[in-house]
Amino acid sequence: MRLRRQPGVREAMATYPGLVPLNGEEYKGKWQTFFGNSNPIHVELGTGKGNFITTLAEQNPHINYFGVELHEEVLIKAVKKAEAKKLTNIVFLWINIQDIENYFAPEEVDKFYLNFSDPWPKKRHARRRLTNSEFLVKYKRLLKPDGVIQLKTDNEGLFEYSLNQFAQELFLLKEITFDLHNSEYAEGNVMTEYEAKFVERGMKIYRCVAEHPARLAAKFEEQKERS
Ligand SMILES: C[S@@+](CC[C@H](N)C(=O)[O-])C[C@H]1O[C@@H](n2cnc3c(N)ncnc32)[C@H](O)[C@@H]1O
């Protein structure tokens, strides 16, 4: 995504320490102390302008939400949405997802959301896709053993690639749909800014949930005991 640099955005970000802690690494493994509670942690990777994560935060005050975003020009819009809604259960990490392990400890996260991640269609750019197995290995370490990753995309190629990468990393796939808005998972779906644009153009949305491999192992043991 090409963004025009807006003067003063970086400085503006520093004026929201409660929403954009610039010392986030210090809270790795200790986000409970930041929020003052031990509520579950849900993280959107590549949060963009933040409609999805701020709406969820408003709907679910007993979950602590994180929006992770590299580009300040879009992130500032998400931060302003959270401020307008007076949310106290949300934090934005202004970082590269590559470095996510500097901000969360192993098994600190309950759920990751990947919404309309950049598809990087060229094969030589495959490692940049946020569902590349190198990224999935990181998410897997940070997820609780009963944690999940929820993915939505308009891009068939990225969806197919992601399903294969999840399978390669032994995630257990469920709730797969090739047309979210005409599926049983449509109810309660919160749209992102990109999603709203694609839906308006009549495009179909792909969606799936990938469970941590520990769940697969537990289910396998259960089945073994039953047989
Ligand atoms: C196509 S946009 C989708 C935004 C939003 N999730 C939505 O659905 O409206 C992808 C977003 O991911 C962010 N992003 C991509 N790679 C990233 C990375 N490595 N670290 C942090 N943010 C990243 C981009 O800056 C961009 O805002």
Side-chain angles (χ1 to χ4, degrees), residues 8-66:
V9 175
R10 284 176 170 270
E11 293 72 16
M13 205 70 78
T15 64
Y16 297 95
L19 288 171
V20 194
L22 299 178
N23 59 344
E25 282 163 303
E26 291 168 25
Y27 289 98
K28 174 177 172 171
K30 294 181 262 182
W31 285 107
Q32 292 186 1
T33 61
F34 184 92
F35 289 104
N37 62 52
S38 55
N39 291 343
I41 288 182
H42 292 192
V43 180
E44 186 186 18
L45 299 165
T47 213
K49 295 179 187 168
N51 185 61
F52 178 83
I53 203 79
T54 57
T55 304
L56 286 186
E58 201 173 18
Q59 289 175 350
N60 305 294
H62 300 300
I63 295 175
N64 294 328
Y65 288 95
F66 286 76

Side-chain angles (χ1 to χ4, degrees), residues 19-20 35 40-69 74-94 97 100 104 109-116 148 150 152 188-195:
L19 288 171
V20 194
F35 289 104
I41 288 182
H42 292 192
V43 180
E44 186 186 18
L45 299 165
T47 213
K49 295 179 187 168
N51 185 61
F52 178 83
I53 203 79
T54 57
T55 304
L56 286 186
E58 201 173 18
Q59 289 175 350
N60 305 294
H62 300 300
I63 295 175
N64 294 328
Y65 288 95
F66 286 76
V68 181
E69 176 56 54
V74 283
L75 182 57
I76 194 73
K77 297 198 162 98
V79 173
K80 286 183 177 167
K81 282 185 183 124
E83 190 199 30
K85 293 178 179 186
K86 299 188 167 50
L87 298 173
T88 55
N89 60 330
I90 193 164
V91 153
F92 296 94
L93 295 178
W94 179 20
I97 294 159
I100 193 79
F104 295 103
V109 177
D110 294 84
K111 187 168 187 172
F112 282 115
Y113 291 103
L114 284 162
N115 290 322
F116 303 88
V148 296
Q150 185 181 303
K152 291 197 279 186
N189 176 57
V190 173
M191 287 215 268
T192 76
E193 281 82 355
Y194 270 70
E195 185 172 0

Side-chain angles (χ1 to χ4, degrees), residues 24-219:
E25 282 163 303
E26 291 168 25
Y27 289 98
K28 174 177 172 171
K30 294 181 262 182
W31 285 107
Q32 292 186 1
T33 61
F34 184 92
F35 289 104
N37 62 52
S38 55
N39 291 343
I41 288 182
H42 292 192
V43 180
E44 186 186 18
L45 299 165
T47 213
K49 295 179 187 168
N51 185 61
F52 178 83
I53 203 79
T54 57
T55 304
L56 286 186
E58 201 173 18
Q59 289 175 350
N60 305 294
H62 300 300
I63 295 175
N64 294 328
Y65 288 95
F66 286 76
V68 181
E69 176 56 54
L70 183 61
H71 288 118
E72 61 268 27
E73 286 83 355
V74 283
L75 182 57
I76 194 73
K77 297 198 162 98
V79 173
K80 286 183 177 167
K81 282 185 183 124
E83 190 199 30
K85 293 178 179 186
K86 299 188 167 50
L87 298 173
T88 55
N89 60 330
I90 193 164
V91 153
F92 296 94
L93 295 178
W94 179 20
I95 62 163
N96 191 323
I97 294 159
Q98 291 270 13
D99 304 325
I100 193 79
E101 287 185 289
N102 296 340
Y103 295 85
F104 295 103
E107 302 190 13
E108 196 174 13
V109 177
D110 294 84
K111 187 168 187 172
F112 282 115
Y113 291 103
L114 284 162
N115 290 322
F116 303 88
S117 307
D118 301 309
W120 294 108
K122 289 186 183 143
K123 212 171 172 185
R124 67 188 155 91
H125 290 148
R127 285 184 67 192
R128 299 185 191 176
R129 297 175 194 149
L130 294 180
T131 47
N132 175 270
S133 63
E134 282 177 41
F135 279 107
L136 293 188
V137 166
K138 292 183 187 192
Y139 310 153
K140 197 160 42 172
R141 279 197 283 261
L142 302 183
L143 275 176
K144 294 209 167 85
D146 63 350
V148 296
I149 302 175
Q150 185 181 303
L151 177 145
K152 291 197 279 186
T153 180
D154 62 302
N155 189 290
E156 187 183 351
L158 182 70
F159 193 57
E160 183 182 308
Y161 174 85
S162 303
L163 293 179
N164 281 304
Q165 295 288 292
F166 281 131
Q168 186 182 308
E169 291 307 321
L170 301 180
F171 280 85
L172 184 61
L173 287 158
K174 64 174 193 180
E175 298 176 20
I176 301 170
T177 173
F178 299 104
D179 188 2
L180 169 61
H181 291 264
N182 289 303
S183 78
E184 60 187 295
Y185 312 113
E187 204 186 310
N189 176 57
V190 173
M191 287 215 268
T192 76
E193 281 82 355
Y194 270 70
E195 185 172 0
K197 272 195 242 168
F198 295 134
V199 168
E200 208 179 285
R201 287 183 211 155
M203 289 165 70
K204 290 192 174 150
I205 305 300
Y206 305 88
R207 181 246 199 215
C208 71
V209 173
E211 292 185 342
H212 190 287
R215 284 213 202 182
L216 179 61
K219 281 182 189 169

